[in-house]
Amino acid sequence: MKVGVIGSGDVGRRLGHGFASQGHEVKLGTRDPKKKEVQAWLKETPGKVSAGSFSEAAAHGEVVLLCTLGSAVESAIGLAGEKNFAGKVLIDVTNPLDLSKGMPPGLFVGTTDSLGERVQRRLPQAKVVKCFNIVANSTMIDPRLKEGLPTMIIAGNDAGAKKKVAEILAGFGWETPVDIGNIDGARWLEALTALWVRVAMSVGSWTPGFRVLRQ
Amino acid sequence: MKVGVIGSGDVGRRLGHGFASQGHEVKLGTRDPKKKEVQAWLKETPGKVSAGSFSEAAAHGEVVLLCTLGSAVESAIGLAGEKNFAGKVLIDVTNPLDLSKGMPPGLFVGTTDSLGERVQRRLPQAKVVKCFNIVANSTMIDPRLKEGLPTMIIAGNDAGAKKKVAEILAGFGWETPVDIGNIDGARWLEALTALWVRVAMSVGSWTPGFRVLRQ
């Protein structure tokens, strides 16, 4: 499968590496293909990988991952080109973290909206699935922690896209995700990240996770 | 210890029963002491228990629990009397659920405020601790589920009050809670409840829980 990654920060590189390790053809989208983290990623990532602009990465992907800073989402989509998302699964990993007042962060999108919804509205033809945003990038692939396996929780409007994401998650070592419904569920997944940061600060670990105990 | 419970719904009766079972002297505050649920609670709850007005319950408690509907918090505090909370541990179990658009609920207090903070501002002399609001009332006491033990997460400005709440939690079968800091953390604990409802709807259980995996 061809995978396009929008954003070459820690999250994008980590997920890109994970998809490449599963045999997928990954193009890492970046504002600066020459920067050293991207060049290092190209060397250390197995399989058929490449780097390019946001637009090239979005065009490349059958599945596209949105991995920018929350504050960069709008500009990144503009650079990537709306048409390059049409009809595709778009995995939105972003969080609207507001760090203007230091740590821990607030959210710049509130409880009546979310970045997931904004992305879906901006790209009505894309099949947006909120996923991966609730864990540290270091536990997105091979998520098992010493204390157990966290639960991925996803949201999105398209059942087929969520099925695809569940298959991807299974390949990465996750259990079947908890599907909380349409993309408006993203507002609570984004809020969970704000809680996650506080929990991380409290327990003194930057890889905590939440496990859903179903009953 | 004398415990006052503000609110005689499912949550207040459940927690009141729990405290009474631990040997505490519980007064259940209600708008209608004669209603059948309150009368049944008085009969079936062990130990030295009583019912009274919100004001009587608040005055009675050395520790006070706020267990009303989120929408009733302001009026309940007014009825209970601000002075009756001064210097006391106040455990805030409320959620600002907005059900005006049906299920799943939104929140009527957003990510820059919370009911926990509103309560603390309204009662500056009280030592508000957000606690218990993230689980079903049926798992507040003896919280162990088939799939494991959920984690309680608390927030509040007063270290002593949180220590007291941690002792209470231990008596009820909880592990040491995760303390996410000052009462503004309540905004994320309240948002977690919105997520909890969606998770419950997804997994088909009204007693799911979140376990924090620390590492």
Side-chain angles (χ1 to χ4, degrees):
Chain A
M1 182 170 74
K2 291 184 176 178
V3 176
V5 180
I6 310 297
S8 59
D10 291 343
V11 171
R13 298 199 312 278
R14 176 75 178 142
L15 283 172
H17 190 105
F19 276 87
S21 302
Q22 299 274 321
H24 300 299
E25 195 175 329
V26 177
K27 189 180 284 288
L28 185 66
T30 171
R31 291 169 197 256
D32 178 11
K34 292 178 182 163
K35 74 176 179 183
K36 68 176 194 295
E37 292 87 349
V38 172
Q39 291 302 313
W41 181 87
L42 287 168
K43 282 181 193 152
E44 74 199 14
T45 304
K48 198 168 177 184
V49 297
S50 58
S53 66
F54 287 170
S55 172
E56 288 166 343
H60 168 82
E62 298 161 294
V63 166
V64 183
L65 285 81
L66 190 58
C67 302
T68 66
L69 290 177
S71 53
V73 162
E74 299 282 353
S75 66
I77 290 174
L79 288 169
E82 283 85 343
K83 71 179 187 308
N84 288 323
F85 298 93
K88 297 179 179 178
V89 172
L90 174 59
I91 300 180
D92 170 22
V93 194
T94 62
N95 277 304
L97 297 183
D98 175 3
L99 288 153
S100 63
K101 289 171 184 155
M103 286 286 284
L107 299 184
F108 64 75
V109 181
T111 56
T112 58
D113 198 5
S114 62
L115 273 183
E117 289 162 278
R118 285 188 181 185
V119 169
Q120 182 65 81
R121 284 198 301 273
R122 178 79 179 267
L123 303 167
Q125 294 186 286
K127 299 165 183 172
V128 178
V129 180
K130 195 84 194 184
C131 184
F132 291 118
N133 76 300
I134 61 170
V135 295
N137 72 76
S138 59
T139 60
M140 290 175 177
I141 319 291
D142 302 328
R144 186 169 292 280
L145 305 176
K146 284 182 195 167
E147 295 186 359
L149 190 58
T151 305
M152 186 56 74
I153 310 176
I154 66 174
N157 297 343
D158 187 274
K162 289 191 282 193
K163 184 159 178 266
K164 168 67 77 177
V165 168
E167 289 165 8
I168 290 166
L169 288 167
F172 289 171
W174 293 90
E175 293 174 331
T176 303
V178 172
D179 172 5
I180 59 166
N182 287 337
I183 191 63
D184 61 332
R187 55 189 74 168
W188 313 118
L189 296 178
E190 293 169 7
L192 185 60
T193 301
L195 178 62
W196 182 93
V197 174
R198 284 187 176 246
V199 167
M201 294 170 76
S202 174
V203 305
S205 154
W206 285 100
T207 59
F210 296 102
R211 180 168 177 78
V212 171
L213 308 177
R214 290 163 193 255
Q215 53 179 344
Chain B
M1 183 170 74
K2 290 184 176 178
V3 176
V5 180
I6 310 298
S8 59
D10 291 343
V11 171
R13 298 199 311 278
R14 176 76 179 141
L15 283 173
H17 190 105
F19 276 88
S21 300
Q22 298 275 320
H24 301 299
E25 196 175 326
V26 177
K27 187 178 284 287
L28 186 66
T30 172
R31 291 169 197 257
D32 179 12
K34 291 179 182 163
K35 74 176 178 183
K36 70 176 193 295
E37 292 88 349
V38 171
Q39 291 302 314
W41 181 88
L42 287 168
K43 279 180 195 154
E44 73 200 12
T45 303
K48 199 167 177 186
V49 297
S50 58
S53 66
F54 287 171
S55 172
E56 288 166 342
H60 168 84
E62 298 161 294
V63 166
V64 183
L65 285 80
L66 189 60
C67 302
T68 66
L69 289 177
S71 54
V73 162
E74 299 282 352
S75 67
I77 290 175
L79 288 169
E82 283 84 344
K83 70 179 189 306
N84 288 324
F85 297 93
K88 297 179 178 178
V89 172
L90 173 60
I91 299 179
D92 169 24
V93 193
T94 62
N95 277 305
L97 296 183
D98 175 5
L99 288 153
S100 62
K101 289 171 184 155
M103 285 287 283
L107 299 183
F108 64 75
V109 181
T111 57
T112 57
D113 199 5
S114 62
L115 273 183
E117 290 161 276
R118 285 189 181 184
V119 170
Q120 182 65 81
R121 284 198 302 274
R122 178 80 179 267
L123 304 167
Q125 294 186 287
K127 299 166 183 171
V128 178
V129 180
K130 195 85 193 181
C131 183
F132 292 117
N133 75 299
I134 61 170
V135 295
N137 73 75
S138 59
T139 61
M140 289 175 176
I141 318 290
D142 301 327
R144 187 168 290 279
L145 305 176
K146 284 182 196 167
E147 295 186 0
L149 190 57
T151 305
M152 186 57 74
I153 310 175
I154 65 173
N157 297 343
D158 188 275
K162 288 192 282 194
K163 184 158 178 269
K164 168 67 77 179
V165 168
E167 290 166 6
I168 290 165
L169 287 167
F172 288 173
W174 292 91
E175 293 172 332
T176 303
V178 172
D179 171 5
I180 59 166
N182 287 337
I183 191 63
D184 60 335
R187 56 188 75 168
W188 313 117
L189 296 178
E190 293 169 9
L192 185 61
T193 302
L195 178 62
W196 183 92
V197 174
R198 284 187 176 245
V199 167
M201 294 169 77
S202 174
V203 304
S205 154
W206 284 100
T207 58
F210 296 101
R211 179 166 178 79
V212 172
L213 308 177
R214 290 163 192 253
Q215 52 179 347

